[in-house]
């Protein structure tokens, strides 16, 4: 695992988008794993800008999103299907045949999870998986005590997750669906590369636990230490509780990958 610290949220979004764009330009038929949430809105806005102003072409990409609420149809404005159409798919002209999200209305949630993993494998596996970090340490919707070998499946959302996601539900956590379909931790770890993007002081304690604490099923993001090509990007607010800053700063001076990343901000 490598860590690169950004000055603020704006720089974090710009760098995350630059790394996604670099992947797309290097491999135009990339299979991308995508995330949702407030942090990602700025990332996708920057990708749309690169598409419109610099000709970034996403038309050959295939995408798989991490999760979707159970019980929300794709037409619901609060669904992640609608979120992705609004923030990325429609603005860059990505066809529906190339975009995949779990079906929260599936008759069999178990079969939907099994089929989702199979579809990822049939596409050749995910080249780059974009992740956010939940305040309770989840990646995707892999809540505390999720198996670190888990597959795509239905889960029950933790109360703190429903509270965190209440914004799209009139601020009422009780209106947030109590269940969701998510890629499993094991599914995520099969990605060829992983990019974890973390923003804001509310994530500072958890980021410190992920980077400096033990690997535990209580914090699904800690499983990322098992991956051999994981990059963590964090802004200064999210990194404010880290005690390993001297080591991170030293690595940025001497690690070739991290030195290259710095050039993307020039």
């Amino acid at each position: 695992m490598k860590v690169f610290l950004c000055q603020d949220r704006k720089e974090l979004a710009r760098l995350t988008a630059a790394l996604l764009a670099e992947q797309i330009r290097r491999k135009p038929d990339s299979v991308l794993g995508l995330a949702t949430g407030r942090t990602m809105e700025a990332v996708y806005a920057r990708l749309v800008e690169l598409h419109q102003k610099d000709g970034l072409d996403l038309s050959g990409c295939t995408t798989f999103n991490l999760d979707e609420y159970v019980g929300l149809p794709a037409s619901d404005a609060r669904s992640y299907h609608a979120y992705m159409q609004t923030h990325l798919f429609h603005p860059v002209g990505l066809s529906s045949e190339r975009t995949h999200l779990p079906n929260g209305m599936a008759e069999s949630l178990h079969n939907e999870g099994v089929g989702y993993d199979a579809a990822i494998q049939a596409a050749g596996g995910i080249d780059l998986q974009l992740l956010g970090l939940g305040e309770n340490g989840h990646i995707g919707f892999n809540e505390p005590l999720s198996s670190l070998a888990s597959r795509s499946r239905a889960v029950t959302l933790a109360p703190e997750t429903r509270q965190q996601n209440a914004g799209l539900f009139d601020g009422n956590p009780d209106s947030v669906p109590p269940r969701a379909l998510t890629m499993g931790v094991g599914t995520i770890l099969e990605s060829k590369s992983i990019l974890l993007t973390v923003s804001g002081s509310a994530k500072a304690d958890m980021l410190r636990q992920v980077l400096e604490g033990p690997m535990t099923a209580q914090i699904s993001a800690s499983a990322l230490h098992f991956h051999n090509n994981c990059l963590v990007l964090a802004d200064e607010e999210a990194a404010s509780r880290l005690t390993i800053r001297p080591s991170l700063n030293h690595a940025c001076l001497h690690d070739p990958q991290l030195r290259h990343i710095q050039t993307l901000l020039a």
Side-chain angles (χ1 to χ4, degrees):
M1 180 181 289
K2 297 180 182 181
V3 181
F4 187 90
L5 303 182
C6 299
Q7 293 182 2
D8 51 33
R9 293 171 186 245
K10 183 176 180 180
E11 185 175 274
L12 177 67
R14 186 160 63 95
L15 181 56
T16 302
L19 289 167
L20 286 165
E22 190 173 61
Q23 170 69 37
I24 294 164
R25 291 187 176 112
R26 180 171 60 247
K27 187 183 179 189
D29 61 346
S30 289
V31 179
L32 303 175
L34 300 179
T36 53
R38 291 183 295 273
T39 301
M40 301 307 163
E41 291 179 20
V43 173
Y44 296 146
R46 177 59 178 162
L47 277 181
V48 170
E49 183 180 352
L50 291 173
H51 167 73
Q52 294 173 341
K53 295 183 177 180
D54 295 343
L56 180 67
D57 184 6
L58 286 79
S59 63
C61 295
T62 299
T63 69
F64 288 89
N65 264 74
L66 285 166
D67 39 40
E68 179 59 283
Y69 293 112
V70 169
L72 287 190
S75 59
D76 193 304
R78 301 165 300 178
S79 72
Y80 288 144
H81 281 77
Y83 173 103
M84 293 305 303
Q85 284 293 336
T86 298
H87 291 289
L88 184 64
F89 297 160
H90 179 69
V92 301
L94 196 53
S95 69
S96 59
E97 292 80 11
R98 290 190 170 274
T99 63
H100 303 82
L101 292 93
N103 178 12
M105 301 297 291
E107 182 176 345
S108 169
L109 298 178
H110 170 75
N111 289 345
E112 179 65 15
V114 172
Y116 204 65
D117 278 352
I120 292 171
Q121 291 303 312
I126 292 172
D127 292 304
L128 175 59
Q129 175 66 62
L130 177 63
L131 298 174
L133 178 66
E135 291 181 13
N136 66 1
H138 69 225
I139 48 176
F141 274 138
N142 291 284
E143 301 286 35
L145 299 183
S146 292
S147 167
L148 301 186
S150 57
R151 311 302 302 175
S152 297
R153 70 208 186 282
V155 297
T156 299
L157 299 181
E160 59 268 24
T161 297
R162 297 177 76 190
Q163 179 67 55
Q164 186 180 345
N165 291 2
L168 288 176
F169 296 84
D170 299 322
N172 182 7
D174 291 334
S175 296
V176 179
R179 304 192 77 210
L181 283 160
T182 184
M183 282 189 200
V185 179
T187 306
I188 292 169
L189 291 178
E190 289 175 353
S191 305
K192 298 178 181 70
S193 61
I194 293 176
L195 180 58
L196 176 66
T197 296
V198 189
S199 176
S201 59
K203 308 289 181 69
D205 283 333
M206 185 50 63
L207 181 62
R208 179 181 57 79
Q209 292 182 64
V210 170
L211 295 182
E212 301 181 10
M215 286 178 282
T216 169
Q218 188 66 28
I219 301 174
S220 64
S222 68
L224 296 175
H225 287 285
F226 284 115
H227 200 278
N228 64 4
N229 190 12
C230 177
L231 174 64
V232 178
L233 303 181
D235 64 14
E236 284 291 342
E237 289 186 357
S240 62
R241 299 297 301 276
L242 297 179
T243 66
I244 56 172
R245 291 292 294 270
S247 296
L248 300 182
N249 294 337
H250 181 80
C252 281
L253 291 174
H254 300 287
D255 182 275
Q257 181 185 8
L258 297 177
R259 292 181 66 180
H260 167 70
I261 288 172
Q262 294 177 56
T263 68
L264 299 178
L265 292 171

